[in-house]
Amino acid sequence: MSGVTTLTVGEKRGHTFFREAPVIAGYASIAGRKESDGPLGGQFHRIVKDETLGEKSFERAERKLLVEAVRLTLHRAEVDASEVDVMFSGDLLDQIVTANFAGRDLGIPLLGVYAACSTSTESLLLAAMAVSSGFAGYALAGTASHHLSAERQYRYPLELGVQRLPTSQWTATGAVAFLVGTAGEGRVAIRSGTVGRVHDAGIKDVNNMGAAMAPAAADTIARHLAARGQSFEDYDVVLTGDLGRVGHPLLVDLLKERGVDTDGRLADAGIMLYDQRQGVHAGGSGAACSALVAAAAILPGLESGTIRRALLVATGSLHSPRSYQQGESIPSIAHAVELEVVP
Amino acid sequence: MSGVTTLTVGEKRGHTFFREAPVIAGYASIAGRKESDGPLGGQFHRIVKDETLGEKSFERAERKLLVEAVRLTLHRAEVDASEVDVMFSGDLLDQIVTANFAGRDLGIPLLGVYAACSTSTESLLLAAMAVSSGFAGYALAGTASHHLSAERQYRYPLELGVQRLPTSQWTATGAVAFLVGTAGEGRVAIRSGTVGRVHDAGIKDVNNMGAAMAPAAADTIARHLAARGQSFEDYDVVLTGDLGRVGHPLLVDLLKERGVDTDGRLADAGIMLYDQRQGVHAGGSGAACSALVAAAAILPGLESGTIRRALLVATGSLHSPRSYQQGESIPSIAHAVELEVVP
């Protein structure tokens, strides 16, 4: 399996530590109907019951979610769009049209990114890098996904009524934006981050992405802890997203094999976003899933002090419908961002 | 037209100036058969006559081009892959599978980007930012495109024999990688850059991308020059890519409207890559096009001193086949990177 290399302990490749740590200057989440019916339903900043948002296509609805999440973030932070130097954004749709059309509507300089469902942490890490290096005073990181646009692009149009498999995950409908600013602009610091390497466990079942992504999460977490000289004990929570009920126990095992004890502190966004009674099978997924859970369950904890330090490890399956149809396996990646309460 | 805002002179939003300028520590280009038959044919580092590269699909051939371009870059620079902290890469295929599968094969931490045909300058600018901020000692920027994979994804499989329009551009087959390092590692510095804003001129004709992209190029060039206090006279060449024979004169007009005199220093990669006798109609395009011309015609000039300073302004059409089929217009973007000989 190419790309699966053994961790050299102490290797810091792909890891960055922000001496002058940028901060979360604002954030906002918008969630769909099913997401608002889940356990975190009361924690989102806005709920959208009509999943068309009054638009004529699900693709247009998805980009409206992202535009509204950015506008709500700026409104809550009392920052004008003209004060934002750059926005890092991506999504699941071909040619990241959600981010690109949202960039058009927002008028903010845009750097498009793609890392499937790990787009949330890739964009947050890059926004932190831009602010930390002085390139940006304010930088935005934003992502969105929509169940109905994703299903028809990646799998089947819902109208076909194709039965889902027990290992399937449910693409979340929602959008989240984070505004990153300089020290003093917020109470949650972005302390460090680790860029993922692409892994390929040889899995070819697109209905079992949790298993495909678990090795990438294990590698990024192990590399991050080694580079920082940390263990799970240093974190109140390590939030992966979105391994679901199949991938999560695999990750625990893979970390154990590497001698990493999760100490009961490992949680997964794909498991947290929905109740099992909601019929999502293995859990949630989608670019918005890990971002929604971070915005609803992690950031409020950091702001109130019930969480002191958290590691966000969003995971992404890097296949395309065509690569899958051509018989390729599913490469995956995970990017980590360390958040802590400003001392 | 949303997103088309007037330039505030002196506005530096999205612009970055590297005080400790990172450098091009190495680069390599691989070009396809048609590209090697063009005017720059003698300037590429490697030519690929068999456009399948011995692979069973054009998509696999495309990713092999990228992997080989990265390996050739590292070989030429005498740098091992294990010394590279991060690679910024993207391409035209859905879910940037070329970059993602190449990342798997190379084992280098990967941050996926997407900006259509402006991916080359987006990735170069981010690599410069990563090195300049100390996050990376070496960072790679790489992109690829393949005529045959792009045609069947964006337009029609070649087997259909659909006639091309006079305004059509020809997606280039090739790949280019740039290795960015710290001062002292090379003779060409990355002095500054400007992140593009998404423009939308309301054009819905995917066979006329030059016209769709010209306004984005005009905006980025004008903003870059204003932020730097420069004019065209400060550059030996400003290379756009890829406006082609339709978009290039439009850009000249748009800059004239803004009071910017191009002083005969504006060139376009889409015009330079092929001879008109090669039947490419309006010129070249594709993520590799501007990168190939930069690698074949600009970098050698900077290294030999015949060019003192150059501005690379790759342009991208940000539509997807689906957004086009849904009747949406074509948003576009351009990102600028300033290269100069180390004083």
Side-chain angles (χ1 to χ4, degrees):
Chain A
M1 250 75 71
S2 51
V4 184
T5 49
T6 310
L7 174 77
T8 309
V9 176
E11 182 192 5
K12 295 203 178 187
R13 198 154 68 115
H15 176 77
T16 187
F17 177 82
F18 298 113
R19 265 170 239 291
E20 304 269 328
V23 300
I24 306 284
Y27 67 100
S29 59
I30 303 182
R33 190 173 49 190
K34 195 178 186 83
E35 293 67 31
S36 71
D37 288 341
L40 301 173
Q43 312 302 316
F44 302 117
H45 296 109
R46 192 179 292 169
I47 300 294
V48 175
K49 292 286 183 190
D50 170 12
E51 291 192 321
T52 72
L53 283 83
E55 297 288 331
K56 66 180 182 181
S57 71
F58 303 132
E59 290 74 19
R60 287 179 80 113
E62 180 173 322
R63 86 185 58 138
K64 194 167 180 181
L65 283 172
L66 181 56
V67 170
E68 292 300 313
V70 168
R71 289 196 173 135
L72 188 55
T73 296
L74 294 174
H75 174 75
R76 281 168 39 90
E78 296 178 9
V79 169
D80 192 77
S82 65
E83 298 175 68
V84 180
D85 290 289
V86 64
M87 170 166 155
F88 295 91
S89 187
D91 57 274
L92 297 179
L93 297 187
D94 298 343
Q95 287 72 53
I96 58 166
V97 284
T98 303
N100 286 326
F101 280 80
R104 177 192 68 179
D105 296 347
L106 292 162
I108 300 167
L110 177 74
L111 288 167
V113 299
Y114 181 79
C117 303
S118 60
T119 297
S120 61
T121 45
E122 170 170 342
S123 56
L124 187 56
L125 181 54
L126 283 168
M129 199 189 299
V131 169
S132 157
S133 66
F135 164 57
Y138 286 116
L140 275 161
T143 192
S145 55
H146 194 298
H147 184 72
L148 297 161
S149 63
E151 284 302 308
R152 70 179 180 186
Q153 176 183 288
Y154 278 100
R155 283 165 287 265
Y156 305 99
L158 244 57
E159 295 85 340
L160 275 179
V162 173
Q163 197 170 16
R164 301 174 67 244
L165 295 174
T167 51
S168 296
Q169 292 176 241
W170 186 276
T171 304
T173 298
V176 176
F178 297 101
L179 179 69
V180 177
T182 46
E185 295 273 350
R187 281 174 296 185
V188 178
I190 302 169
R191 179 51 65 196
S192 75
T194 298
V195 177
R197 296 188 293 202
V198 182
H199 280 251
D200 191 338
I203 288 169
K204 295 188 175 188
D205 179 1
V206 286
N207 293 300
N208 192 359
M209 295 194 293
M213 297 189 291
D219 182 62
T220 298
I221 292 171
R223 286 169 52 226
H224 180 85
L225 296 178
R228 284 280 280 137
Q230 292 173 330
S231 72
F232 265 79
E233 281 184 22
D234 291 292
Y235 289 93
D236 296 304
V237 58
V238 174
L239 181 77
T240 56
D242 314 292
L243 301 177
R245 294 178 206 285
V246 174
H248 177 70
L250 290 175
L251 173 59
V252 174
D253 287 350
L254 288 168
L255 286 170
K256 201 174 286 171
E257 277 175 23
R258 288 173 182 253
V260 178
D261 180 6
T262 55
D263 199 32
R265 292 157 197 253
L266 185 65
D268 183 70
I271 296 174
M272 292 170 72
L273 187 60
Y274 304 105
D275 277 335
Q276 259 193 299
R277 63 166 175 77
Q278 290 184 279
V280 296
H281 298 351
S285 70
C289 181
S290 60
L292 283 173
V293 174
I298 307 297
L299 265 298
L302 285 159
E303 291 188 313
S304 69
T306 58
I307 296 175
R308 190 181 41 88
R309 187 185 285 144
L311 189 67
L312 306 181
V313 192
T315 55
S317 282
L318 301 177
H319 67 292
S320 75
R322 188 177 305 236
S323 73
Y324 161 68
Q325 286 157 6
Q326 289 179 340
E328 305 279 359
S329 54
I330 303 174
S332 65
I333 202 162
H335 301 298
V337 175
E338 176 185 351
L339 302 177
E340 66 171 9
V341 177
V342 174
Chain B
M1 252 74 73
S2 52
V4 184
T5 49
T6 310
L7 174 77
T8 309
V9 176
E11 182 192 3
K12 296 204 178 188
R13 198 153 69 115
H15 175 77
T16 187
F17 177 82
F18 298 113
R19 263 169 239 292
E20 304 269 328
V23 300
I24 305 284
Y27 66 101
S29 59
I30 303 182
R33 191 173 48 193
K34 195 178 186 84
E35 294 66 32
S36 70
D37 289 340
L40 301 174
Q43 311 303 316
F44 302 117
H45 297 109
R46 192 180 293 170
I47 300 295
V48 175
K49 292 286 183 191
D50 170 13
E51 290 192 323
T52 72
L53 283 84
E55 296 289 330
K56 65 180 184 183
S57 71
F58 303 133
E59 289 74 20
R60 287 179 79 114
E62 179 174 323
R63 88 184 56 139
K64 194 168 181 180
L65 283 172
L66 181 55
V67 169
E68 292 300 313
V70 168
R71 289 196 174 136
L72 188 55
T73 297
L74 295 174
H75 175 75
R76 280 168 39 89
E78 296 178 10
V79 168
D80 192 77
S82 65
E83 298 175 69
V84 181
D85 290 289
V86 64
M87 169 166 155
F88 294 90
S89 187
D91 56 275
L92 297 178
L93 297 187
D94 298 344
Q95 288 72 53
I96 58 166
V97 285
T98 303
N100 286 326
F101 280 80
R104 177 193 67 179
D105 295 347
L106 292 162
I108 300 167
L110 177 74
L111 287 167
V113 299
Y114 181 78
C117 304
S118 60
T119 297
S120 61
T121 45
E122 170 170 341
S123 56
L124 187 56
L125 180 53
L126 283 168
M129 199 188 299
V131 170
S132 157
S133 66
F135 164 57
Y138 286 115
L140 275 161
T143 192
S145 55
H146 195 297
H147 184 72
L148 297 161
S149 63
E151 283 303 306
R152 70 180 181 183
Q153 176 182 290
Y154 278 99
R155 286 164 286 265
Y156 304 99
L158 243 61
E159 296 85 340
L160 275 178
V162 173
Q163 197 171 16
R164 302 174 68 244
L165 295 173
T167 52
S168 295
Q169 293 176 242
W170 186 276
T171 304
T173 298
V176 177
F178 297 101
L179 180 69
V180 177
T182 46
E185 294 274 349
R187 281 175 295 185
V188 179
I190 303 169
R191 179 52 65 197
S192 75
T194 299
V195 177
R197 297 188 292 202
V198 182
H199 281 250
D200 191 338
I203 288 169
K204 295 188 175 190
D205 179 1
V206 287
N207 294 301
N208 192 358
M209 295 195 293
M213 296 189 293
D219 182 62
T220 297
I221 292 170
R223 286 169 53 226
H224 179 85
L225 295 177
R228 284 281 280 137
Q230 292 173 330
S231 72
F232 265 79
E233 282 185 20
D234 291 293
Y235 290 93
D236 297 303
V237 58
V238 174
L239 180 78
T240 56
D242 315 296
L243 301 177
R245 293 178 206 286
V246 175
H248 177 71
L250 290 175
L251 173 59
V252 174
D253 287 350
L254 287 168
L255 286 170
K256 203 175 283 170
E257 277 175 23
R258 288 174 181 253
V260 178
D261 180 6
T262 55
D263 199 32
R265 293 159 196 252
L266 184 66
D268 183 71
I271 297 174
M272 291 169 72
L273 187 61
Y274 304 105
D275 276 335
Q276 259 192 300
R277 62 164 176 78
Q278 291 184 280
V280 295
H281 298 348
S285 70
C289 180
S290 59
L292 284 172
V293 175
I298 307 296
L299 265 298
L302 285 159
E303 290 187 314
S304 70
T306 58
I307 296 175
R308 192 181 40 89
R309 187 186 283 145
L311 189 67
L312 306 181
V313 191
T315 55
S317 282
L318 301 177
H319 67 291
S320 75
R322 189 177 305 236
S323 73
Y324 161 67
Q325 286 157 5
Q326 289 180 338
E328 306 280 358
S329 54
I330 303 174
S332 65
I333 202 162
H335 301 298
V337 175
E338 176 185 350
L339 302 178
E340 66 170 9
V341 176
V342 174

